[in-house]
């Protein structure tokens, strides 16, 4: 591991973030506020409570997770797709860097950015509803684990995509639906039995459940299963990446 | 004593769709030399460079740089190399300074602002150091790519068609820089399809055609061959074979038997032509015309690359 090279890539990626900080921060703050107005106030005035928790507060972990997932995927996929698109990838490929070092530095940057945004969303949410965090260490752990896993997924998408449409297709067709169906705005237990069973195949359910547990001590599925599923997802992403680098898929001919 | 900084042996490259871009290349590059790789478009020059630099994978064969195998000890091998790619591929919104620092960092080298300042000044880029790359002209971008390649003080520099589409001023600056680097001991491998460039700059010249390295020669040796003249005799009667008494002249007979060619060094000809003509006369071989010609590197190159590919 070369610390200088790692920091170089990390800083370069983060510099891009700072340059676009205003739009990166502004739009999630606006959209979170909108969710609170629509779901928290409009719908929340009818539902009031889920599992004994104020509805506005109940949706916070889901909203944070949702932005963590989408941001991680889009940051990482764009970060690696862009040099492939412009051709500057030659520089990474001809530098004395292992693939491991490249993935680590890109992932670290994508994770930092999405955690930064998640934190901002959490702060925005605290303006609207009283927040209570029962297990802060677990909360941070879940954020890190999720951001890492989905940044790796984004990295894979960024390597697989050979045009901008594909780059946006996966987040649009897979990640967003999975998040919406993952219990962001409801408890899985509120669904009819059939859909509860279907939900068990959605990895995002486990993430949101575990994350919500770290806030309110309530969960749709046991914590251990949440961790297990997230860990398995992480392992799958790592395995795919290992294969990509072994074969040079879409990177080296 | 010279030793080889790059050793290529039995190298072939077949692209995934089955196109064989390089075939069984054997080549040694000597430490400190300026090697020019000549060849028409599509000959495989870029493929060869990209292969050595780690951008393309070899199909078979091996390459070592500074004694390090490019696959098993790629870190050490790549650390020695600077690459100026053929295409003008740069980031857009970064500043010149940031992008040059970035490349140096990728190679794991500590920041050295004094060195980078000198480098940018030498390339007339210092005034532009805070400009975004997107605002620069094509020639300036080429300079940025050169600065990036040199930012980590490589031992070997690859220049892939550095003067394609470049204006006269930059070309002159570039050659000055290349000479300075060479004097500082950097090994330089450049590709070009401008023969004059190779002629002026190179220590050795390699010619690549359809993925095969068909000639590698010292430039001086090539120039000596350039000094060779050819005397062609249009025979009155076609000849089936060169008579034994003419064996000492190294004559060539055209396939149709009508033209006899004598190749000689114009500086040290010493009466051989007179002797040849005398012998022909004695043998009663008549000719109705004669002419002399001088081969240029261009001719050699053209005849090499336009011959139909060997199987
Ligand atoms: N990525 C690729 N996939 C398939 N064929 C390629 C690829 N890159 C280059 N080629 C082919 O390999 C040959 C050599 O290309 P290249 O090395 O770029 O030649 P040169 O640099 O001498 O012009 C060309 O016929 C080109 O079409
Ligand atoms: Mg080329």
């Amino acid at each position: 591991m070369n610390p200088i090279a790692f920091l170089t890539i990390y800083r370069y990626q983060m510099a891009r973030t700072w340059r676009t900080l205003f739009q990166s921060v502004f739009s999630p703050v606006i959209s979170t506020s909108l969710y609170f107005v629509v779901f928290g106030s409009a719908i929340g005035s009818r539902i009031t409570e889920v599992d004994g928790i104020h509805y506005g507060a109940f949706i916070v972990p889901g909203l944070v997770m949702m932005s963590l997932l989408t941001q991680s995927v889009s940051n990482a996929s764009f970060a690696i797709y862009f040099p492939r698109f412009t051709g500057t990838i030659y520089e990474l490929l001809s530098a004395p860097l292992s693939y491991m070092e490249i993935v680590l530095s890109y992932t670290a940057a994508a994770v930092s950015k999405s955690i930064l945004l998640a934190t901002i969303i959490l702060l925005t949410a605290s303006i609207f509803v009283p927040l209570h965090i029962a297990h802060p260490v677990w909360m941070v752990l879940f954020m890190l684990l999720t951001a890492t896993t989905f940044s790796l997924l984004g990295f894979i998408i960024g390597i697989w995509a050979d045009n901008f449409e594909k780059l946006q297709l996966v987040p649009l067709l897979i990640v967003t639906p999975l998040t919406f169906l993952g219990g962001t705005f409801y408890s899985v237990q509120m669904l009819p039995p059939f859909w509860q069973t279907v939900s068990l195949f959605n990895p995002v359910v486990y993430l949101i459940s575990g994350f919500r547990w770290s806030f309110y001590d309530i969960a749709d599925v046991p914590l251990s299963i949440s961790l297990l599923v997230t860990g398995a997802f992480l392992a799958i992403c790592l395995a795919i990446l290992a294969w990509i680098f072994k074969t040079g898929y879409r990177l080296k001919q | 004593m010279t030793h080889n900084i790059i050793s290529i042996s039995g190298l072939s490259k077949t692209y995934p769709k089955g196109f064989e871009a390089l075939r069984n290349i054997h080549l040694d590059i000597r430490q400190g030399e300026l090697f020019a790789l000549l060849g028409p478009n599509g000959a495989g020059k870029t493929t060869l460079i990209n292969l050595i630099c780690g951008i393309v994978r070899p199909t078979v064969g091996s390459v070592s740089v500074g004694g390090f195998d490019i696959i098993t000890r790629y870190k050490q091998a790549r650390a020695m190399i600077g690459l100026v790619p053929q295409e003008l591929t740069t980031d857009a919104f970064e500043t010149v300074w940031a992008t040059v620092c970035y490349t140096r960092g990728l190679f794991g080298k500590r920041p050295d602002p004094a060195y980078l300042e000198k480098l940018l000044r030498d390339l007339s880029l210092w005034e532009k150091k805070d400009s975004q790359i997107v605002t620069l002209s094509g020639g300036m971008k080429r300079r940025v790519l050169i600065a990036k390649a040199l930012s980590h003080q490589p031992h070997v520099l690859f220049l892939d068609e550095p003067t394609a589409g470049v204006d006269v001023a930059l070309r002159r600056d570039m050659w000055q820089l290349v000479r300075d680097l060479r004097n500082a001991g950097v090994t330089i491998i450049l590709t070009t399809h401008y023969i004059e460039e190779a002629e002026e700059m190179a220590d050795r010249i390699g010619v690549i055609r359809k993925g095969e390295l068909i000639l590698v020669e010292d430039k001086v040796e090539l120039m000596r061959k350039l000094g060779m003249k050819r005397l062609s005799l249009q025979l009155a009667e076609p000849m089936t074979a060169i008579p034994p008494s003419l064996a000492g002249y190294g004559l060539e007979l055209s396939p149709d038997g009508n033209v006899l060619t004598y190749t000689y060094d114009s500086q040290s000809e010493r009466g051989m032509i007179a002797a040849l003509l005398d012998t022909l006369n004695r043998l009663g071989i008549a000719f109705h015309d004669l002419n002399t010609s001088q081969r240029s590197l261009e001719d050699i190159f053209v005849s090499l690359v336009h011959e139909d590919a060997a199987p």
Side-chain angles (χ1 to χ4, degrees), chain A residues 253, chain B residues 15-16 19 21 40-48 86 160-161:
Chain A
Q253 288 184 307
Chain B
Y15 277 111
F19 181 80
N41 275 331
K45 304 181 294 295
T46 299
T47 301
L48 182 58
Q86 181 174 351
D160 197 354
E161 310 226 2

Side-chain angles (χ1 to χ4, degrees), chain B residues 243-263:
Chain B
S245 50
L246 291 174
Y249 294 96
L251 299 177
E252 285 167 58
L253 185 64
S254 65
D256 61 8
N258 283 318
V259 184
L260 204 55
T261 307
Y262 172 54
T263 308

